[in-house]
Amino acid sequence: MSEELLYAGKAKSVYRSDSPGELIVVFRDDITAFDGGRKDVLSRKGEYNARVSAHLFELLEEAGVPTHFLRLEGPARMRVRRLAMVPLEVIVRNRAAGSLVRNYPFESGEPLDPPLIVIDHKDDARHDPMVNDEIILALGLLGRAELDAMKALALRVNGVLLELFGACGLDLVDFKVEFGRDEWGRLRLGDEVSMDSMRLWSRETGESLDKDVYRLGTGDVLGAYARVAERLGLEM
Ligand code: C5P
């Protein structure tokens, strides 16, 4: 690719595009876990995440959630609006799993109603510590009204995804999203919404169909991702 690489994350690379307000995101086949401590390459994984993300961004836009998505320009190549990213990971949890069960006395799978919002500060050197509203405000990352708007957007994303996956027989346990400001300062959903950033449990069998298959080393990661795409009716 001749475009200038602006940023390479653990599983995506961001390139300058022919338009100043737009970027190209390439979903790579790299998969990592445990703060980058484990790394592998899974052929076609980038395609699955790009395709599912594109589909979910489209549905979310239709449901009134502003996103950075513009269009797919290849199997793993997405054109997006340029955002100034807010360095926060907003995690919405419908059931207890993962770090919530490791760090607090919740039972794995316990329903959380209303859903819990947990926010981490994106800071690799400090291993993305959890923050609260006061820390976010004190760091000047968002103002009070923007913080409330960001949480409301995250809950709206949750509503849309819960209904969608529920209709496909999948339990949306939790997910992580990231937001940024567009050129007018409006908050938009950025990054990706894919099997790398959510937990999905099959309602019939209880098995994970997400990155936990990789984290736990329990089976065929790409097969699990393919099943999610198939349930969403996406032809790959
Ligand atoms: O690990 P934890 O239980 O806190 O993760 C909660 C949710 O957020 C999971 O769906 C996980 O895949 C996602 N997550 C993520 N990126 C991170 C941390 C968590 O996508 N850096």
Side-chain angles (χ1 to χ4, degrees):
M1 197 170 338
S2 57
E3 290 141 336
E4 183 195 347
L5 177 68
L6 296 177
Y7 170 79
K10 294 193 188 90
K12 298 190 295 299
S13 299
V14 179
Y15 295 86
R16 196 186 293 284
S17 80
D18 46 15
S19 160
E22 300 176 2
L23 298 171
I24 303 295
V25 178
V26 173
F27 289 69
R28 306 196 314 269
D29 287 339
D30 300 303
I31 187 162
T32 69
F34 311 118
D35 235 348
R38 188 146 143 232
K39 291 185 198 170
D40 284 286
V41 178
L42 288 178
S43 174
R44 295 197 72 203
K45 180 235 169 203
E47 288 177 34
Y48 280 103
N49 278 353
R51 188 83 166 78
V52 168
S53 265
H55 181 62
L56 299 181
F57 278 137
E58 275 173 352
L59 294 177
L60 288 164
E61 282 276 357
E62 281 168 24
V65 177
T67 80
H68 70 159
F69 178 71
L70 291 169
R71 59 187 170 273
L72 281 182
E73 292 190 341
R77 188 183 150 94
M78 185 182 287
R79 183 175 287 261
V80 300
R81 293 170 202 268
R82 184 192 276 270
L83 301 181
M85 294 305 292
V86 179
L88 294 173
E89 299 193 333
V90 184
I91 297 159
V92 182
R93 299 176 179 275
N94 296 301
R95 289 183 185 277
S99 65
L100 196 71
V101 173
R102 277 201 307 280
N103 297 329
Y104 305 93
F106 288 103
E107 295 277 336
S108 178
E110 182 180 333
L112 302 165
D113 187 17
L116 277 191
I117 298 183
V118 174
I119 305 182
D120 292 345
H121 185 216
K122 270 178 81 93
D123 184 342
D124 278 341
R126 294 185 173 85
H127 306 288
D128 301 342
M130 187 193 292
V131 287
N132 62 13
D133 288 10
E134 284 70 20
I135 295 176
I136 294 170
L137 298 176
L139 285 173
L141 297 177
L142 293 164
R144 180 79 250 176
E146 263 189 320
L147 175 54
D148 291 343
M150 189 183 77
K151 289 185 189 177
L153 281 175
L155 289 177
R156 198 173 330 157
V157 171
N158 189 44
V160 172
L161 297 185
L162 265 180
E163 193 178 323
L164 176 74
F165 286 117
C168 305
L170 296 171
D171 217 348
L172 177 65
V173 173
D174 58 31
F175 63 91
K176 181 268 304 181
V177 280
E178 298 181 25
F179 294 89
R181 298 183 184 92
D182 66 16
E183 59 186 305
W184 300 282
R186 182 186 198 202
L187 279 180
R188 282 181 182 272
L189 182 62
D191 192 48
E192 68 183 294
V193 187
S194 78
M195 291 73 80
D196 269 11
S197 54
M198 60 177 68
R199 288 195 172 92
L200 292 167
W201 292 353
S202 160
R203 288 221 171 129
E204 297 100 75
T205 64
E207 67 194 308
S208 293
L209 295 176
D210 57 60
K211 197 164 141 183
D212 270 352
V213 179
Y214 178 71
R215 291 190 190 98
L216 307 171
T218 48
D220 172 13
V221 183
L222 208 70
Y225 283 31
R227 279 168 66 192
V228 175
E230 192 186 322
R231 296 238 186 156
L232 291 172
L234 301 174
E235 278 182 30
M236 300 292 302

PDB file of all heavy atoms in Angstrom, residues 89 91 93 97-100 102 120 128 174-176 196-199 211 215, ligand 1:
ATOM      1  N   GLU A  89     -11.651   3.506  27.172  1.00  0.00           N
ATOM      2  CA  GLU A  89     -12.333   2.292  26.723  1.00  0.00           C
ATOM      3  C   GLU A  89     -13.614   2.196  27.547  1.00  0.00           C
ATOM      4  O   GLU A  89     -13.555   2.096  28.776  1.00  0.00           O
ATOM      5  CB  GLU A  89     -11.462   1.062  26.980  1.00  0.00           C
ATOM      6  CG  GLU A  89     -10.133   1.132  26.229  1.00  0.00           C
ATOM      7  CD  GLU A  89      -9.387  -0.191  26.209  1.00  0.00           C
ATOM      8  OE1 GLU A  89      -9.568  -0.995  27.138  1.00  0.00           O
ATOM      9  OE2 GLU A  89      -8.623  -0.403  25.257  1.00  0.00           O
ATOM     10  N   ILE A  91     -16.654   0.122  28.580  1.00  0.00           N
ATOM     11  CA  ILE A  91     -17.067  -1.286  28.603  1.00  0.00           C
ATOM     12  C   ILE A  91     -18.479  -1.362  29.175  1.00  0.00           C
ATOM     13  O   ILE A  91     -18.754  -0.804  30.244  1.00  0.00           O
ATOM     14  CB  ILE A  91     -16.081  -2.113  29.446  1.00  0.00           C
ATOM     15  CG1 ILE A  91     -14.688  -2.075  28.793  1.00  0.00           C
ATOM     16  CG2 ILE A  91     -16.558  -3.558  29.590  1.00  0.00           C
ATOM     17  CD1 ILE A  91     -13.570  -2.409  29.742  1.00  0.00           C
ATOM     18  N   ARG A  93     -21.399  -3.987  30.378  1.00  0.00           N
ATOM     19  CA  ARG A  93     -21.493  -5.386  30.811  1.00  0.00           C
ATOM     20  C   ARG A  93     -22.938  -5.749  31.139  1.00  0.00           C
ATOM     21  O   ARG A  93     -23.539  -5.125  32.011  1.00  0.00           O
ATOM     22  CB  ARG A  93     -20.627  -5.597  32.065  1.00  0.00           C
ATOM     23  CG  ARG A  93     -19.143  -5.316  31.838  1.00  0.00           C
ATOM     24  CD  ARG A  93     -18.383  -5.444  33.146  1.00  0.00           C
ATOM     25  NE  ARG A  93     -16.946  -5.218  32.984  1.00  0.00           N
ATOM     26  CZ  ARG A  93     -16.071  -6.155  32.619  1.00  0.00           C
ATOM     27  NH1 ARG A  93     -16.466  -7.378  32.373  1.00  0.00           N
ATOM     28  NH2 ARG A  93     -14.784  -5.859  32.516  1.00  0.00           N
ATOM     29  N   ALA A  97     -18.308 -11.256  33.720  1.00  0.00           N
ATOM     30  CA  ALA A  97     -17.323 -12.135  33.074  1.00  0.00           C
ATOM     31  C   ALA A  97     -15.964 -11.445  33.133  1.00  0.00           C
ATOM     32  O   ALA A  97     -15.869 -10.272  33.506  1.00  0.00           O
ATOM     33  CB  ALA A  97     -17.716 -12.403  31.618  1.00  0.00           C
ATOM     34  N   GLY A  98     -14.933 -12.168  32.768  1.00  0.00           N
ATOM     35  CA  GLY A  98     -13.598 -11.588  32.594  1.00  0.00           C
ATOM     36  C   GLY A  98     -13.077 -10.889  33.828  1.00  0.00           C
ATOM     37  O   GLY A  98     -13.160 -11.401  34.939  1.00  0.00           O
ATOM     38  N   SER A  99     -12.568  -9.673  33.614  1.00  0.00           N
ATOM     39  CA  SER A  99     -11.897  -8.960  34.711  1.00  0.00           C
ATOM     40  C   SER A  99     -12.867  -8.616  35.848  1.00  0.00           C
ATOM     41  O   SER A  99     -12.449  -8.480  36.992  1.00  0.00           O
ATOM     42  CB  SER A  99     -11.214  -7.688  34.201  1.00  0.00           C
ATOM     43  OG  SER A  99     -12.168  -6.766  33.731  1.00  0.00           O
ATOM     44  N   LEU A 100     -14.156  -8.499  35.535  1.00  0.00           N
ATOM     45  CA  LEU A 100     -15.123  -8.170  36.601  1.00  0.00           C
ATOM     46  C   LEU A 100     -15.198  -9.317  37.610  1.00  0.00           C
ATOM     47  O   LEU A 100     -15.284  -9.089  38.823  1.00  0.00           O
ATOM     48  CB  LEU A 100     -16.505  -7.905  35.991  1.00  0.00           C
ATOM     49  CG  LEU A 100     -17.478  -7.198  36.933  1.00  0.00           C
ATOM     50  CD1 LEU A 100     -17.062  -5.740  37.148  1.00  0.00           C
ATOM     51  CD2 LEU A 100     -18.896  -7.276  36.409  1.00  0.00           C
ATOM     52  N   ARG A 102     -12.757 -11.569  37.952  1.00  0.00           N
ATOM     53  CA  ARG A 102     -11.429 -11.709  38.571  1.00  0.00           C
ATOM     54  C   ARG A 102     -11.247 -10.725  39.719  1.00  0.00           C
ATOM     55  O   ARG A 102     -10.648 -11.048  40.742  1.00  0.00           O
ATOM     56  CB  ARG A 102     -10.327 -11.446  37.535  1.00  0.00           C
ATOM     57  CG  ARG A 102      -9.985 -12.630  36.673  1.00  0.00           C
ATOM     58  CD  ARG A 102      -8.590 -12.481  36.040  1.00  0.00           C
ATOM     59  NE  ARG A 102      -8.416 -11.230  35.320  1.00  0.00           N
ATOM     60  CZ  ARG A 102      -8.880 -11.016  34.088  1.00  0.00           C
ATOM     61  NH1 ARG A 102      -9.547 -11.961  33.452  1.00  0.00           N
ATOM     62  NH2 ARG A 102      -8.664  -9.862  33.491  1.00  0.00           N
ATOM     63  N   ASP A 120     -12.064   2.390  31.295  1.00  0.00           N
ATOM     64  CA  ASP A 120     -10.619   2.288  31.490  1.00  0.00           C
ATOM     65  C   ASP A 120      -9.931   3.420  30.731  1.00  0.00           C
ATOM     66  O   ASP A 120     -10.387   3.814  29.652  1.00  0.00           O
ATOM     67  CB  ASP A 120     -10.083   0.958  30.948  1.00  0.00           C
ATOM     68  CG  ASP A 120     -10.559  -0.259  31.749  1.00  0.00           C
ATOM     69  OD1 ASP A 120     -11.054  -0.075  32.876  1.00  0.00           O
ATOM     70  OD2 ASP A 120     -10.417  -1.378  31.229  1.00  0.00           O
ATOM     71  N   ASP A 128      -3.772   0.345  31.214  1.00  0.00           N
ATOM     72  CA  ASP A 128      -5.169   0.773  31.062  1.00  0.00           C
ATOM     73  C   ASP A 128      -5.966   0.718  32.372  1.00  0.00           C
ATOM     74  O   ASP A 128      -6.926  -0.057  32.507  1.00  0.00           O
ATOM     75  CB  ASP A 128      -5.891  -0.109  30.017  1.00  0.00           C
ATOM     76  CG  ASP A 128      -5.239  -0.055  28.644  1.00  0.00           C
ATOM     77  OD1 ASP A 128      -4.476   0.891  28.390  1.00  0.00           O
ATOM     78  OD2 ASP A 128      -5.497  -0.965  27.842  1.00  0.00           O
ATOM     79  N   ASP A 174     -20.679  -8.757  27.210  1.00  0.00           N
ATOM     80  CA  ASP A 174     -20.076  -7.430  27.404  1.00  0.00           C
ATOM     81  C   ASP A 174     -19.390  -6.989  26.116  1.00  0.00           C
ATOM     82  O   ASP A 174     -19.236  -7.787  25.185  1.00  0.00           O
ATOM     83  CB  ASP A 174     -19.089  -7.422  28.593  1.00  0.00           C
ATOM     84  CG  ASP A 174     -17.961  -8.439  28.454  1.00  0.00           C
ATOM     85  OD1 ASP A 174     -17.552  -8.735  27.325  1.00  0.00           O
ATOM     86  OD2 ASP A 174     -17.494  -8.947  29.491  1.00  0.00           O
ATOM     87  N   PHE A 175     -19.022  -5.739  26.048  1.00  0.00           N
ATOM     88  CA  PHE A 175     -18.256  -5.245  24.894  1.00  0.00           C
ATOM     89  C   PHE A 175     -17.551  -3.952  25.284  1.00  0.00           C
ATOM     90  O   PHE A 175     -17.923  -3.293  26.255  1.00  0.00           O
ATOM     91  CB  PHE A 175     -19.155  -5.007  23.663  1.00  0.00           C
ATOM     92  CG  PHE A 175     -20.202  -3.936  23.860  1.00  0.00           C
ATOM     93  CD1 PHE A 175     -19.936  -2.608  23.539  1.00  0.00           C
ATOM     94  CD2 PHE A 175     -21.432  -4.259  24.395  1.00  0.00           C
ATOM     95  CE1 PHE A 175     -20.895  -1.621  23.732  1.00  0.00           C
ATOM     96  CE2 PHE A 175     -22.398  -3.269  24.599  1.00  0.00           C
ATOM     97  CZ  PHE A 175     -22.128  -1.962  24.267  1.00  0.00           C
ATOM     98  N   LYS A 176     -16.556  -3.621  24.471  1.00  0.00           N
ATOM     99  CA  LYS A 176     -15.783  -2.389  24.684  1.00  0.00           C
ATOM    100  C   LYS A 176     -15.913  -1.507  23.452  1.00  0.00           C
ATOM    101  O   LYS A 176     -15.786  -2.005  22.327  1.00  0.00           O
ATOM    102  CB  LYS A 176     -14.320  -2.764  24.920  1.00  0.00           C
ATOM    103  CG  LYS A 176     -13.383  -1.625  25.184  1.00  0.00           C
ATOM    104  CD  LYS A 176     -12.685  -1.045  23.997  1.00  0.00           C
ATOM    105  CE  LYS A 176     -11.892  -1.995  23.161  1.00  0.00           C
ATOM    106  NZ  LYS A 176     -11.207  -1.345  22.018  1.00  0.00           N
ATOM    107  N   ASP A 196     -13.442  -9.260  18.455  1.00  0.00           N
ATOM    108  CA  ASP A 196     -12.245  -9.007  19.251  1.00  0.00           C
ATOM    109  C   ASP A 196     -12.576  -8.191  20.494  1.00  0.00           C
ATOM    110  O   ASP A 196     -11.803  -8.166  21.440  1.00  0.00           O
ATOM    111  CB  ASP A 196     -11.227  -8.200  18.433  1.00  0.00           C
ATOM    112  CG  ASP A 196     -10.259  -9.093  17.677  1.00  0.00           C
ATOM    113  OD1 ASP A 196     -10.489 -10.306  17.610  1.00  0.00           O
ATOM    114  OD2 ASP A 196      -9.260  -8.555  17.147  1.00  0.00           O
ATOM    115  N   SER A 197     -13.691  -7.463  20.459  1.00  0.00           N
ATOM    116  CA  SER A 197     -13.952  -6.487  21.520  1.00  0.00           C
ATOM    117  C   SER A 197     -15.280  -6.753  22.247  1.00  0.00           C
ATOM    118  O   SER A 197     -15.810  -5.870  22.905  1.00  0.00           O
ATOM    119  CB  SER A 197     -13.946  -5.078  20.930  1.00  0.00           C
ATOM    120  OG  SER A 197     -14.841  -4.999  19.840  1.00  0.00           O
ATOM    121  N   MET A 198     -15.795  -7.970  22.101  1.00  0.00           N
ATOM    122  CA  MET A 198     -17.032  -8.289  22.831  1.00  0.00           C
ATOM    123  C   MET A 198     -17.018  -9.747  23.276  1.00  0.00           C
ATOM    124  O   MET A 198     -16.216 -10.542  22.795  1.00  0.00           O
ATOM    125  CB  MET A 198     -18.259  -7.997  21.971  1.00  0.00           C
ATOM    126  CG  MET A 198     -18.340  -8.766  20.695  1.00  0.00           C
ATOM    127  SD  MET A 198     -19.871  -8.396  19.788  1.00  0.00           S
ATOM    128  CE  MET A 198     -19.607  -6.699  19.312  1.00  0.00           C
ATOM    129  N   ARG A 199     -17.915 -10.065  24.211  1.00  0.00           N
ATOM    130  CA  ARG A 199     -18.137 -11.473  24.568  1.00  0.00           C
ATOM    131  C   ARG A 199     -19.524 -11.864  24.093  1.00  0.00           C
ATOM    132  O   ARG A 199     -20.504 -11.180  24.408  1.00  0.00           O
ATOM    133  CB  ARG A 199     -18.024 -11.698  26.083  1.00  0.00           C
ATOM    134  CG  ARG A 199     -16.630 -11.606  26.609  1.00  0.00           C
ATOM    135  CD  ARG A 199     -16.475 -12.184  28.025  1.00  0.00           C
ATOM    136  NE  ARG A 199     -15.059 -12.235  28.369  1.00  0.00           N
ATOM    137  CZ  ARG A 199     -14.414 -11.250  29.007  1.00  0.00           C
ATOM    138  NH1 ARG A 199     -15.067 -10.176  29.407  1.00  0.00           N
ATOM    139  NH2 ARG A 199     -13.122 -11.355  29.250  1.00  0.00           N
ATOM    140  N   LYS A 211     -13.269 -13.512  21.201  1.00  0.00           N
ATOM    141  CA  LYS A 211     -11.829 -13.614  21.447  1.00  0.00           C
ATOM    142  C   LYS A 211     -11.472 -14.457  22.671  1.00  0.00           C
ATOM    143  O   LYS A 211     -10.320 -14.870  22.821  1.00  0.00           O
ATOM    144  CB  LYS A 211     -11.239 -12.205  21.577  1.00  0.00           C
ATOM    145  CG  LYS A 211      -9.745 -12.154  21.431  1.00  0.00           C
ATOM    146  CD  LYS A 211      -9.312 -10.726  21.171  1.00  0.00           C
ATOM    147  CE  LYS A 211      -8.052 -10.385  21.878  1.00  0.00           C
ATOM    148  NZ  LYS A 211      -7.690  -8.980  21.664  1.00  0.00           N
ATOM    149  N   ARG A 215      -8.147 -16.309  23.993  1.00  0.00           N
ATOM    150  CA  ARG A 215      -7.561 -16.058  25.323  1.00  0.00           C
ATOM    151  C   ARG A 215      -7.452 -17.352  26.117  1.00  0.00           C
ATOM    152  O   ARG A 215      -6.454 -17.614  26.774  1.00  0.00           O
ATOM    153  CB  ARG A 215      -8.432 -15.082  26.128  1.00  0.00           C
ATOM    154  CG  ARG A 215      -8.447 -13.664  25.599  1.00  0.00           C
ATOM    155  CD  ARG A 215      -9.133 -12.734  26.603  1.00  0.00           C
ATOM    156  NE  ARG A 215      -9.383 -11.419  26.041  1.00  0.00           N
ATOM    157  CZ  ARG A 215     -10.556 -11.036  25.528  1.00  0.00           C
ATOM    158  NH1 ARG A 215     -11.596 -11.859  25.533  1.00  0.00           N
ATOM    159  NH2 ARG A 215     -10.693  -9.829  25.014  1.00  0.00           N
TER     160      ARG A 215
HETATM  161  O1  C5P B   1     -11.162  -8.167  30.149  1.00  0.00           O
HETATM  162  P1  C5P B   1     -12.496  -7.577  30.514  1.00  0.00           P
HETATM  163  O2  C5P B   1     -13.424  -8.541  31.156  1.00  0.00           O
HETATM  164  O3  C5P B   1     -12.358  -6.304  31.292  1.00  0.00           O
HETATM  165  O4  C5P B   1     -13.148  -7.175  29.102  1.00  0.00           O
HETATM  166  C1  C5P B   1     -14.468  -6.678  29.003  1.00  0.00           C
HETATM  167  C2  C5P B   1     -14.846  -6.585  27.532  1.00  0.00           C
HETATM  168  O5  C5P B   1     -14.106  -5.568  26.888  1.00  0.00           O
HETATM  169  C3  C5P B   1     -14.581  -7.868  26.751  1.00  0.00           C
HETATM  170  O6  C5P B   1     -15.604  -8.028  25.772  1.00  0.00           O
HETATM  171  C4  C5P B   1     -13.253  -7.599  26.072  1.00  0.00           C
HETATM  172  O7  C5P B   1     -13.139  -8.316  24.863  1.00  0.00           O
HETATM  173  C5  C5P B   1     -13.322  -6.098  25.840  1.00  0.00           C
HETATM  174  N1  C5P B   1     -12.005  -5.458  25.914  1.00  0.00           N
HETATM  175  C6  C5P B   1     -11.409  -4.989  24.754  1.00  0.00           C
HETATM  176  N2  C5P B   1     -10.186  -4.376  24.816  1.00  0.00           N
HETATM  177  C7  C5P B   1      -9.569  -4.196  25.988  1.00  0.00           C
HETATM  178  C8  C5P B   1     -10.169  -4.649  27.177  1.00  0.00           C
HETATM  179  C9  C5P B   1     -11.388  -5.283  27.104  1.00  0.00           C
HETATM  180  O8  C5P B   1     -11.971  -5.113  23.674  1.00  0.00           O
HETATM  181  N3  C5P B   1      -8.385  -3.569  26.008  1.00  0.00           N
END
